């Protein structure tokens, strides 16, 4: 297992396992089943759990964010809080009933409301607190001042963002240095081996890794955490024959593109030659990347968890990664 | 429409209509008849003189990711579309306990802590999107916590400048007075109101699932008479018990099965008197039941739950009726 090291608000360091457990355990998963996934993840060397104020929610009256609730319950049940690194997020936008965007929630009250509710849900300090989105109409100073209030509360260990641009992060960190507050440590973005654009994905507010961004991150040395790391299971479904390009289901449909057809040829070739699973290959692609990346693993069952976590044992050298990237765009 | 006066945190006054629209039905209605029709229902309430809607941080919740408290969100949408953020007052609450996801009749822990309350407060503020919250209440008490601990947190919230009136719900009057005594000592704003369960029909406490509710009873009533404190009454129409008995949609024989919480001999007696009073005066059982509260010597604003515009009209009809104290005692004398 590789690790990402970040700075805490009080000048220490925090080590996050690169393979990060996503909020896959839902309110309708039988508890012991869900807990077993978390247990196994930790046995396999993972120590970092990603959740958010906005995740999991059915029945606000019962859940106040059921994903955080479930993680909080798990930690209390196992008494393992000290062994875990918890990432949570606030400031997710307000959506309409049909999931269309209504308005951004990057305001002092929305973020403090989300933050303190998360602290209550998770029963204590949050290790890494991220802003779930940016509001580019707001100056970084306004936003960082809110995060500074959160730091002053004593309930957070490290700060970060999700779906921000690197330019805004640099601006924010320059301001942080100026006023003597802790810097943003990482950016949680969408990044998988697949070629993906905003047009294909139909959500303008997420940040999706692309070659130009990749160069900027390499230069800046700024850490990332990736969501949708396995492209919704695209490579596994194709490699196993469970789906074909014509029969891609749900969230995998959007990846049907000539570039990804070519990428799949590489996946097939590598996996055939080395006898490893596509899940291992594409997660290792991120974990071994010269841009620092901790892939979040989303899984529904033990089989998928084991498969994805096998990527932590796979070492890919730069030549292999370059070869994987060398696809005619 | 009669008005209730509440003390604001800055030493001023706020008036709210004595008939408050409850949110319990609003969620159902919204899902059933859609947004525009629900807006018309709220419009009807306001046309008849109502100006206050009661909600809570935790009400209405389906799909947290999109709702963050759907009930407050619905109110916010209404106010946005009707541009009435200033005219319409919203009472909301924070600090509702955690419920078991397996069985939501089970409260797993209290949430009267600094983080839970501040989290709920700011989230409600954001959700309602109307500027300072009109009335913010603690949804429950946690009797294991000293009032000083609780009032210090409430004072932090008052200091944000984002709330006009503070209050509580389901507190015992003794705790309420203790908290306000502490507030006076520290120069903090005091709780202005207690939202409790109160209707003219008496409640069989054992039949009620939630043991953390505060229900009006004779001892409490005498305390409130001695030390006047504004109240807001929920379940004020006792599931429309007397209304339904009057219009025949419910008979007394069906009460034990259909509304067990009100299955008490005293309520049959009260019903006989309501029937007689209604015949004598021409006022409906709905009007009488609500006026019993809104005319009461203990200052009370009643929350109504109406399933449709017709029921809103029925509840608000003759809402200016003032029952003299002797008639209130006649119907049901809580002082006995």
């Amino acid at each position: 297992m590789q690790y990402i090291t970040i700075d805490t608000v009080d000048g220490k360091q925090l080590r996050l396992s690169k393979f990060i457990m996503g909020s896959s355990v839902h309110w309708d998963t039988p508890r012991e089943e869900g807990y077993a996934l978390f247990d196994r993840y930790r046995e396999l060397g993972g120590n970092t759990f990603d959740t958010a104020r906005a995740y999991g929610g059915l029945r606000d009256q019962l859940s106040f964010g059921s994903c955080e609730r479930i993680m909080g319950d798990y930690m209390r049940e196992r008494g393992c809080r000290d062994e875990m690194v918890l990432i949570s997020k606030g400031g997710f936008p307000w959506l309409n009933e049909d999931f269309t965007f209504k308005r951004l929630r990057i305001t002092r009250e929305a973020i403090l409301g989300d933050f303190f509710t998360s602290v209550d849900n998770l029963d204590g300090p949050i290790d890494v607190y991220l802003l779930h989105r940016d509001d580019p109409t707001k100056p970084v100073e306004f936003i960082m001042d809110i995060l500074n209030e959160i730091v002053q509360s004593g309930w957070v260990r490290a700060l970060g963002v999700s779906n921000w641009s690197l330019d805004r992060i640099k601006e924010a960190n320059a301001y942080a240095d100026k006023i003597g507050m802790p810097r943003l440590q990482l950016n949680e973005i969408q990044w998988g081996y697949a070629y993906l654009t905003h047009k294909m994905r139909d959500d303008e507010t997420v940040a999706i890794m692309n070659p130009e961004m990749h160069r900027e991150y390499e230069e800046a040395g700024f850490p990332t955490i990736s969501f949708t790391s396995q492209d919704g299971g695209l490579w596994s479904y194709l490699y196993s024959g469970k789906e074909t390009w014509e029969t891609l289901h749900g969230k995998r449909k959007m990846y049907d593109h000539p570039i990804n057809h070519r990428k799949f040829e590489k996946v097939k070739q590598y996996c055939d030659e080395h006898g490893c699973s596509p899940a291992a290959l594409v997660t290792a692609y991120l974990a071994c990347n010269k841009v620092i990346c901790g892939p979040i693993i989303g899984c529904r069952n033990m089989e998928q968890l084991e498969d994805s976590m096998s990527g932590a044992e796979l070492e890919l050298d730069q030549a292999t990664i370059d070869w994987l990237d060398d696809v005619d765009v | 429409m009669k008005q209730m006066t509440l003390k604001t945190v800055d030493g001023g006054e706020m008036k709210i209509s004595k008939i408050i629209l409850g949110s319990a039905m609003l969620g159902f209605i919204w899902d059933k008849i859609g947004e525009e029709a629900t807006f018309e229902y709220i419009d009807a309430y306001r046309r008849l003189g109502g100006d206050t809607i009661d909600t809570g941080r935790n009400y209405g919740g389906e799909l947290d990711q999109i709702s963050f408290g759907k009930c407050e969100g619905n109110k916010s949408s209404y106010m946005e579309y009707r541009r009435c953020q200033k005219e319409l007052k919203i009472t909301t609450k924070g600090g509702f306990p955690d419920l078991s996801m397996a069985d939501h009749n089970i409260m797993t822990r209290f949430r009267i802590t600094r983080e839970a309350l501040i989290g709920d407060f700011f989230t409600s503020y954001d959700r309602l999107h109307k500027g300072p919250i009109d009335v913010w209440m603690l949804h429950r008490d946690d009797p294991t916590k000293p009032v000083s601990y609780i009032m210090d947190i409430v004072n932090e919230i008052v200091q944000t400048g984002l709330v006009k009136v503070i209050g509580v719900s389901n507190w015992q009057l003794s705790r309420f007075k203790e908290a306000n005594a502490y507030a006076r000592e520290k120069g903090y704003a005091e709780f202005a109101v207690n939202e409790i369960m109160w209707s003219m029909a008496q409640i069989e406490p054992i039949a009620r699932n939630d043991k953390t509710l505060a229900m009006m009873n004779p001892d409490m009533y005498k305390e409130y008479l001695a030390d006047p404190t504004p109240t807001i009454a929920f379940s004020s129409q006792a599931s429309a018990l007397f209304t339904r008995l009057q219009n025949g949609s419910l008979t007394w024989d069906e009460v034990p099965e259909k509304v067990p919480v009100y299955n008490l001999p005293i309520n049959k007696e009260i019903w006989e008197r309501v029937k007689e009073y209604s015949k004598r005066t021409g006022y409906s059982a709905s009007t009488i039941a609500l006026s019993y509260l809104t005319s009461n010597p203990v200052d009370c604003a009643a929350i109504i739950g109406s399933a449709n515009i017709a029921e809103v009209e029925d509840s608000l009809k003759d809402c200016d009726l003032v029952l003299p104290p002797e008639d209130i005692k006649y119907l049901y004398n809580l002082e006995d």
Side-chain angles (χ1 to χ4, degrees), chain A residues 153 202 241 329:
Chain A
S153 77
D202 196 28
V329 284

Side-chain angles (χ1 to χ4, degrees), chain B residues 257-285:
Chain B
E257 189 206 316
K258 291 198 175 162
V259 272
V261 283
Y262 297 111
N263 181 29
L264 291 169
I266 185 65
N267 288 334
K268 186 149 199 275
E269 287 176 39
I270 297 173
W271 166 231
E272 292 304 321
R273 292 196 284 272
V274 168
K275 247 194 316 197
E276 186 280 322
Y277 195 86
S278 176
K279 201 167 159 190
R280 201 197 325 151
T281 62
Y283 291 112
S284 72

Side-chain angles (χ1 to χ4, degrees), chain A residues 120-184:
Chain A
D120 177 60
N121 274 346
L122 293 165
D123 202 21
I126 295 174
D127 296 305
V128 192
Y129 194 69
L130 314 180
L131 294 180
H132 214 139
R133 290 287 191 281
D134 189 7
D135 181 347
T137 69
K138 301 240 158 85
V140 293
E141 293 82 359
F142 169 79
I143 300 175
M144 290 304 275
D145 284 347
I146 300 166
L147 286 180
N148 200 19
E149 265 199 79
I150 283 172
V151 170
Q152 301 305 317
S153 77
W155 287 114
V156 70
R157 297 217 166 94
L159 299 174
V161 289
S162 181
N163 299 299
W164 277 44
S165 75
L166 193 54
D167 282 342
R168 286 275 285 180
I169 291 171
K170 288 178 184 169
E171 237 191 293
N173 281 345
Y175 177 72
D177 289 349
K178 183 166 155 210
I179 68 164
M181 72 168 275
R183 287 183 179 184
L184 304 171

